[in-house]
Amino acid sequence: MDFEEPDCTFCRSLPGVGLNPITAPSAPVDQILSVGPHVVLTPTLGTLVPGYLMVVTGENLTSMGALGPSRLPALESWLTSRLSQLEPVFGKYLVFEHGSGKSRRDAPSGACIIHAHLHLVPANDALITSLRQALAWRPLASFSDLASFADRNYTFLESEAGMFIETGIDLPGQWIRRQVARSIGRSGQYDWGVFSGEEELQETLSRMPQFAAR
């Protein structure tokens, strides 16, 4: 069910998101760079490295898995296309999500905003290897398999090495961002609520490729 929470950061700030969407961004971080099936591509507060972006659902859902098996394939195709345009500019990407289950009030596995969003982060092999070794990940055959975990808290990871999911542990908030920040020697700047990453954000926008609407 599509609904809007009054305290949802994305519903309040991103054009086209939520039940009563605004029509224009109020800040550079709130602009829409591309529109995909059921999602928008946007910059993010706490831009740890140039090229760091987010994919946010138009509906106020608890996870990407909540889009269901009928809608996830189109999103996967669109995301693959966007990454193919971003990687020549920013390098190889890590895609991750801290997805929340049905209850929006239970402690999520690393999520701090309960509105479905994917993080797209340029990442080196050392970071990806470290993340792979840190948890007991299970492989996913396809992006659409996320639908099977829509009722559960989960952590999702995708890189050139494949797609993986973890559901058996409660993680601290922004857990993967903590690992990203540590990998670049900026452990104290993992929190997007404290570190805005203004310089990295401006560099991201200045180097962004042009996208078609879909």
Side-chain angles (χ1 to χ4, degrees):
M1 179 181 294
D2 184 7
F3 64 96
E4 180 178 89
E5 290 199 351
D7 60 347
C8 175
T9 299
F10 297 146
C11 289
R12 291 199 317 265
S13 63
L14 294 180
V17 170
L19 283 179
N20 300 291
I22 62 174
T23 58
S26 58
V29 74
D30 298 325
Q31 65 185 284
I32 303 305
L33 303 173
S34 182
V35 177
H38 321 294
V39 297
V40 296
L41 179 70
T42 181
T44 178
L45 280 173
T47 306
L48 288 167
V49 293
Y52 193 149
L53 302 166
M54 281 198 305
V55 173
V56 181
T57 56
E59 297 175 68
N60 192 304
L61 304 173
T62 57
S63 70
M64 288 293 171
L67 283 168
S70 65
R71 294 191 286 180
L72 285 170
L75 173 55
E76 180 177 19
S77 178
W78 175 85
L79 180 60
T80 298
S81 179
R82 296 292 80 80
L83 289 172
S84 71
Q85 293 170 294
L86 289 166
E87 287 182 342
V89 180
F90 298 109
K92 292 187 295 184
Y93 268 79
L94 168 72
V95 179
F96 73 87
E97 178 192 12
H98 290 296
S100 302
K102 275 188 173 180
S103 173
R104 310 173 85 85
R105 302 305 177 193
D106 290 343
S109 290
C112 57
I113 297 178
I114 313 303
H115 183 134
H117 57 288
L118 291 171
H119 297 252
L120 314 183
V121 190
N124 58 41
D125 291 338
L127 170 61
I128 294 170
T129 298
S130 175
L131 287 169
R132 288 282 311 282
Q133 294 174 345
L135 300 177
W137 302 97
R138 288 183 285 169
L140 286 183
S142 73
F143 191 67
S144 298
D145 288 345
L146 282 177
S148 300
F149 300 90
D151 293 344
R152 307 170 64 181
N153 293 341
Y154 66 75
T155 303
F156 168 75
L157 192 70
E158 179 182 0
S159 69
E160 287 187 334
M163 300 181 191
F164 302 89
I165 196 163
E166 209 289 333
T167 60
I169 185 171
D170 288 333
L171 297 170
Q174 305 186 64
W175 182 77
I176 293 184
R177 280 184 55 89
R178 293 171 191 251
Q179 314 314 308
V180 174
R182 184 169 60 184
S183 76
I184 58 174
R186 299 165 72 174
S187 295
Q189 297 178 340
Y190 76 88
D191 187 352
W192 61 265
V194 176
F195 171 70
S196 67
E198 180 65 27
E199 291 184 10
E200 292 81 1
L201 169 64
Q202 293 302 326
E203 182 177 346
T204 298
L205 295 176
S206 70
R207 296 169 59 191
M208 279 294 297
Q210 295 299 308
F211 295 120
R214 286 191 180 272

